[in-house]
Amino acid sequence: FLKFRRLLGLKLEIIDPALYVYRFAAHLDLDDKANAVALTALRLVGRMKRDWIVAGRRPAGICAAALLIAARAHGFTRENQDVTRI
C-alpha cells in the first residue's frame, strides 16, 4: 500500500490501528473483561508501532493480531477465525 501510494503521489494519511481496538473488542464477546483486553491490545499496538511492525501492514490486521494476543493473555480461548470474522 505504501509503495502504491508513493507511486501515485497520493497524500493519504495512514489510519492508526488503535482506532479499531474498542470496536473489534466489542464483537469478540469478552463479557466484563472487554475493557481490560482492549487496554492490553492498545499497549500491544503501541509497542508494535515503536518496533516498526505496523509499517506496510493493514491497520485492521494489526488490530486483530493485538486483540488475539491480548485475549489469550487474559485467559480467553479465541481462535484466528474468531477474530477474522469481525
Side-chain angles (χ1 to χ4, degrees), residues 2 8 15-16 18 20-21 27-28 31-33 35 44 52 55 60-62 65 77-78 80 85:
L2 295 176
L8 293 177
I15 297 173
D16 185 17
Y20 294 112
V21 170
H27 292 289
L28 282 178
D31 302 325
D32 57 343
K33 286 192 174 183
N35 194 29
L44 285 168
W52 289 86
I62 295 293
T77 55
R78 296 294 183 258
N80 295 349
R85 277 190 226 127

Side-chain angles (χ1 to χ4, degrees), residues 22-69:
Y22 283 105
R23 184 174 8 160
F24 286 4
H27 292 289
L28 282 178
D29 298 325
L30 299 172
D31 302 325
D32 57 343
K33 286 192 174 183
N35 194 29
V37 171
L39 287 175
T40 304
L42 283 173
R43 290 180 58 211
L44 285 168
V45 168
R47 184 63 190 186
M48 288 178 184
K49 284 183 198 176
R50 282 192 297 267
D51 292 339
W52 289 86
I53 295 174
V54 299
R57 303 193 193 283
R58 293 180 183 174
I62 295 293
C63 175
L67 275 171
L68 182 64
I69 294 168

